[in-house]
PDB file of all heavy atoms in Angstrom:
ATOM      1  N   VAL A 166    -100.453-118.811-110.949  1.00 98.00           N
ATOM      2  CA  VAL A 166    -101.262-117.996-110.054  1.00 98.00           C
ATOM      3  C   VAL A 166    -101.290-116.585-110.639  1.00 98.00           C
ATOM      4  O   VAL A 166    -100.238-115.972-110.839  1.00 98.00           O
ATOM      5  CB  VAL A 166    -100.674-117.974-108.633  1.00 98.00           C
ATOM      6  CG1 VAL A 166    -101.474-117.037-107.735  1.00 98.00           C
ATOM      7  CG2 VAL A 166    -100.650-119.390-108.049  1.00 98.00           C
ATOM      8  N   ALA A 167    -102.490-116.083-110.939  1.00 98.00           N
ATOM      9  CA  ALA A 167    -102.648-114.757-111.544  1.00 98.00           C
ATOM     10  C   ALA A 167    -103.248-113.798-110.521  1.00 98.00           C
ATOM     11  O   ALA A 167    -104.374-113.993-110.061  1.00 98.00           O
ATOM     12  CB  ALA A 167    -103.550-114.841-112.771  1.00 98.00           C
ATOM     13  N   VAL A 168    -102.478-112.780-110.165  1.00 98.00           N
ATOM     14  CA  VAL A 168    -102.849-111.848-109.099  1.00 98.00           C
ATOM     15  C   VAL A 168    -103.157-110.491-109.712  1.00 98.00           C
ATOM     16  O   VAL A 168    -102.302-109.906-110.381  1.00 98.00           O
ATOM     17  CB  VAL A 168    -101.704-111.715-108.078  1.00 98.00           C
ATOM     18  CG1 VAL A 168    -102.104-110.777-106.945  1.00 98.00           C
ATOM     19  CG2 VAL A 168    -101.293-113.079-107.542  1.00 98.00           C
ATOM     20  N   ALA A 169    -104.379-109.983-109.493  1.00 97.00           N
ATOM     21  CA  ALA A 169    -104.747-108.703-110.105  1.00 97.00           C
ATOM     22  C   ALA A 169    -105.885-108.043-109.353  1.00 97.00           C
ATOM     23  O   ALA A 169    -106.793-108.713-108.851  1.00 97.00           O
ATOM     24  CB  ALA A 169    -105.142-108.907-111.565  1.00 97.00           C
ATOM     25  N   GLY A 170    -105.839-106.720-109.324  1.00 96.00           N
ATOM     26  CA  GLY A 170    -106.938-105.922-108.795  1.00 96.00           C
ATOM     27  C   GLY A 170    -107.659-105.242-109.942  1.00 96.00           C
ATOM     28  O   GLY A 170    -107.811-105.812-111.027  1.00 96.00           O
ATOM     29  N   MET A 171    -108.108-104.003-109.705  1.00 95.00           N
ATOM     30  CA  MET A 171    -108.848-103.244-110.717  1.00 95.00           C
ATOM     31  C   MET A 171    -109.998-104.085-111.283  1.00 95.00           C
ATOM     32  O   MET A 171    -110.872-104.504-110.540  1.00 95.00           O
ATOM     33  CB  MET A 171    -107.899-102.765-111.831  1.00 95.00           C
ATOM     34  CG  MET A 171    -106.789-101.863-111.352  1.00 95.00           C
ATOM     35  SD  MET A 171    -107.403-100.242-110.826  1.00 95.00           S
ATOM     36  CE  MET A 171    -105.877 -99.385-110.511  1.00 95.00           C
ATOM     37  N   GLU A 172    -109.972-104.361-112.610  1.00 94.00           N
ATOM     38  CA  GLU A 172    -111.052-105.148-113.224  1.00 94.00           C
ATOM     39  C   GLU A 172    -110.726-106.630-113.307  1.00 94.00           C
ATOM     40  O   GLU A 172    -111.541-107.432-113.769  1.00 94.00           O
ATOM     41  CB  GLU A 172    -111.376-104.605-114.624  1.00 94.00           C
ATOM     42  CG  GLU A 172    -110.482-105.073-115.762  1.00 94.00           C
ATOM     43  CD  GLU A 172    -109.060-104.534-115.730  1.00 94.00           C
ATOM     44  OE1 GLU A 172    -108.670-103.884-114.743  1.00 94.00           O
ATOM     45  OE2 GLU A 172    -108.336-104.771-116.704  1.00 94.00           O
ATOM     46  N   GLY A 173    -109.533-107.035-112.851  1.00 94.00           N
ATOM     47  CA  GLY A 173    -109.186-108.446-112.740  1.00 94.00           C
ATOM     48  C   GLY A 173    -109.036-109.177-114.053  1.00 94.00           C
ATOM     49  O   GLY A 173    -109.184-110.402-114.099  1.00 94.00           O
ATOM     50  N   ALA A 174    -108.697-108.472-115.124  1.00 96.00           N
ATOM     51  CA  ALA A 174    -108.672-109.090-116.451  1.00 96.00           C
ATOM     52  C   ALA A 174    -107.488-110.035-116.658  1.00 96.00           C
ATOM     53  O   ALA A 174    -107.537-110.898-117.538  1.00 96.00           O
ATOM     54  CB  ALA A 174    -108.644-108.007-117.531  1.00 96.00           C
ATOM     55  N   LEU A 175    -106.446-109.887-115.863  1.00 97.00           N
ATOM     56  CA  LEU A 175    -105.237-110.677-116.089  1.00 97.00           C
ATOM     57  C   LEU A 175    -105.511-112.179-116.099  1.00 97.00           C
ATOM     58  O   LEU A 175    -104.971-112.909-116.929  1.00 97.00           O
ATOM     59  CB  LEU A 175    -104.189-110.356-115.011  1.00 97.00           C
ATOM     60  CG  LEU A 175    -102.875-111.143-115.109  1.00 97.00           C
ATOM     61  CD1 LEU A 175    -102.108-110.783-116.375  1.00 97.00           C
ATOM     62  CD2 LEU A 175    -102.016-110.891-113.871  1.00 97.00           C
ATOM     63  N   ALA A 176    -106.360-112.637-115.202  1.00 97.00           N
ATOM     64  CA  ALA A 176    -106.612-114.076-115.096  1.00 97.00           C
ATOM     65  C   ALA A 176    -107.206-114.641-116.376  1.00 97.00           C
ATOM     66  O   ALA A 176    -106.831-115.737-116.814  1.00 97.00           O
ATOM     67  CB  ALA A 176    -107.533-114.359-113.914  1.00 97.00           C
ATOM     68  N   SER A 177    -108.127-113.924-116.975  1.00 97.00           N
ATOM     69  CA  SER A 177    -108.741-114.400-118.218  1.00 97.00           C
ATOM     70  C   SER A 177    -107.740-114.446-119.357  1.00 97.00           C
ATOM     71  O   SER A 177    -107.725-115.391-120.155  1.00 97.00           O
ATOM     72  CB  SER A 177    -109.919-113.506-118.606  1.00 97.00           C
ATOM     73  OG  SER A 177    -111.002-113.693-117.725  1.00 97.00           O
ATOM     74  N   VAL A 178    -106.885-113.424-119.445  1.00 97.00           N
ATOM     75  CA  VAL A 178    -105.892-113.394-120.524  1.00 97.00           C
ATOM     76  C   VAL A 178    -104.895-114.539-120.335  1.00 97.00           C
ATOM     77  O   VAL A 178    -104.579-115.259-121.295  1.00 97.00           O
ATOM     78  CB  VAL A 178    -105.168-112.037-120.572  1.00 97.00           C
ATOM     79  CG1 VAL A 178    -104.107-112.041-121.664  1.00 97.00           C
ATOM     80  CG2 VAL A 178    -106.165-110.909-120.811  1.00 97.00           C
ATOM     81  N   VAL A 179    -104.422-114.736-119.109  1.00 97.00           N
ATOM     82  CA  VAL A 179    -103.496-115.841-118.847  1.00 97.00           C
ATOM     83  C   VAL A 179    -104.188-117.167-119.141  1.00 97.00           C
ATOM     84  O   VAL A 179    -103.599-118.079-119.738  1.00 97.00           O
ATOM     85  CB  VAL A 179    -102.984-115.792-117.394  1.00 97.00           C
ATOM     86  CG1 VAL A 179    -102.208-117.059-117.055  1.00 97.00           C
ATOM     87  CG2 VAL A 179    -102.103-114.570-117.186  1.00 97.00           C
ATOM     88  N   GLY A 180    -105.444-117.282-118.741  1.00 97.00           N
ATOM     89  CA  GLY A 180    -106.191-118.509-118.991  1.00 97.00           C
ATOM     90  C   GLY A 180    -106.325-118.842-120.463  1.00 97.00           C
ATOM     91  O   GLY A 180    -106.441-120.015-120.830  1.00 97.00           O
ATOM     92  N   GLY A 181    -106.308-117.826-121.308  1.00 96.00           N
ATOM     93  CA  GLY A 181    -106.381-118.048-122.740  1.00 96.00           C
ATOM     94  C   GLY A 181    -105.048-118.330-123.396  1.00 96.00           C
ATOM     95  O   GLY A 181    -105.000-118.669-124.583  1.00 96.00           O
ATOM     96  N   LEU A 182    -103.957-118.213-122.615  1.00 96.00           N
ATOM     97  CA  LEU A 182    -102.615-118.408-123.173  1.00 96.00           C
ATOM     98  C   LEU A 182    -101.980-119.732-122.787  1.00 96.00           C
ATOM     99  O   LEU A 182    -101.084-120.205-123.485  1.00 96.00           O
ATOM    100  CB  LEU A 182    -101.688-117.273-122.707  1.00 96.00           C
ATOM    101  CG  LEU A 182    -101.945-115.872-123.259  1.00 96.00           C
ATOM    102  CD1 LEU A 182    -101.029-114.873-122.563  1.00 96.00           C
ATOM    103  CD2 LEU A 182    -101.721-115.835-124.763  1.00 96.00           C
ATOM    104  N   VAL A 183    -102.409-120.320-121.656  1.00 97.00           N
ATOM    105  CA  VAL A 183    -101.698-121.479-121.125  1.00 97.00           C
ATOM    106  C   VAL A 183    -102.635-122.680-121.007  1.00 97.00           C
ATOM    107  O   VAL A 183    -103.853-122.535-120.901  1.00 97.00           O
ATOM    108  CB  VAL A 183    -101.077-121.167-119.745  1.00 97.00           C
ATOM    109  CG1 VAL A 183    -100.184-119.940-119.818  1.00 97.00           C
ATOM    110  CG2 VAL A 183    -102.143-120.993-118.674  1.00 97.00           C
ATOM    111  N   SER A 184    -102.036-123.872-120.981  1.00 96.00           N
ATOM    112  CA  SER A 184    -102.819-125.096-120.782  1.00 96.00           C
ATOM    113  C   SER A 184    -102.823-125.533-119.321  1.00 96.00           C
ATOM    114  O   SER A 184    -103.618-126.394-118.933  1.00 96.00           O
ATOM    115  CB  SER A 184    -102.252-126.231-121.645  1.00 96.00           C
ATOM    116  OG  SER A 184    -100.902-126.512-121.298  1.00 96.00           O
ATOM    117  N   ALA A 185    -101.957-124.955-118.508  1.00 97.00           N
ATOM    118  CA  ALA A 185    -101.875-125.305-117.094  1.00 97.00           C
ATOM    119  C   ALA A 185    -103.065-124.724-116.337  1.00 97.00           C
ATOM    120  O   ALA A 185    -103.703-123.765-116.789  1.00 97.00           O
ATOM    121  CB  ALA A 185    -100.576-124.758-116.500  1.00 97.00           C
TER     122      ALA A 185
END
Side-chain angles (χ1 to χ4, degrees):
V166 176
V168 182
M171 300 291 186
E172 82 290 8
L175 179 66
S177 289
V178 178
V179 171
L182 291 174
V183 305
S184 60

